[in-house]
């Protein structure tokens, strides 16, 4: 987060102004590993940094190929698509996790 702020020439107050959060909250997110933003706050900070929430929270982004953007009309196809997303996430972990949980939010 700090590196991205430097890249964009932003300080804590700039990010606070862009998110509606306090400067102290932004500083805590940057400096304290135990500071965990809510989903809403993470989305606001990511937007202010022109990042996705994946980039903010995990330092990476999930890439979606043209094949993944196909029209999934039936339940079986949707299950296949979800399984592919889970495989992408598991591969990004560089390990085989026991369980991968995927939440999809449509805005």
């Amino acid at each position: 987060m700090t590196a991205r702020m430097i890249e964009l020439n932003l300080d804590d107050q700039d990010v606070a102004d862009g998110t509606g959060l306090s400067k102290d909250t932004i500083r805590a997110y940057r400096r304290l590993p135990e500071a965990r933003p809510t989903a809403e706050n993470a989305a606001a900070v990511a937007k202010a940094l022109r990042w996705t929430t994946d980039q903010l929270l995990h330092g990476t982004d999930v890439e979606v190929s043209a094949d993944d953007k196909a029209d999934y009309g039936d339940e079986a196809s949707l299950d296949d698509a979800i399984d592919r997303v889970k495989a992408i996430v598991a591969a990004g972990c560089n390990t085989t996790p026991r369980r991968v949980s995927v939440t999809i939010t449509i805005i």
Side-chain angles (χ1 to χ4, degrees):
M1 182 173 162
T2 300
R4 180 64 172 172
M5 289 170 62
I6 291 168
E7 181 180 320
L8 297 174
N9 197 30
L10 300 173
D11 62 19
D12 292 334
Q13 189 61 57
D14 295 325
V15 177
D17 292 344
T19 61
L21 301 171
S22 73
K23 180 179 174 179
D24 290 337
T25 297
I26 299 302
R27 181 175 290 132
Y29 289 161
R30 261 190 334 105
R31 294 183 177 180
L32 303 174
E34 67 274 8
R36 303 279 182 204
T38 63
E40 184 178 301
N41 288 356
V45 171
K47 184 177 180 180
L49 297 177
R50 293 180 243 152
W51 260 356
T52 65
T53 52
D54 283 330
Q55 289 170 308
L56 175 68
L57 299 174
H58 308 293
T60 187
D61 205 0
V62 174
E63 293 185 22
V64 179
S65 70
D67 291 337
D68 295 327
K69 295 179 184 177
D71 182 20
Y72 296 104
D74 62 58
E75 189 173 324
S77 294
L78 183 57
D79 287 342
D80 291 341
I82 291 170
D83 287 342
R84 282 201 312 277
V85 169
K86 288 179 180 180
I88 291 167
V89 171
C93 294
N94 293 324
T95 186
T96 305
R98 290 189 348 229
R99 182 176 145 206
V100 174
S101 175
V102 175
T103 302
I104 298 173
T105 304
I106 305 201
I107 300 174

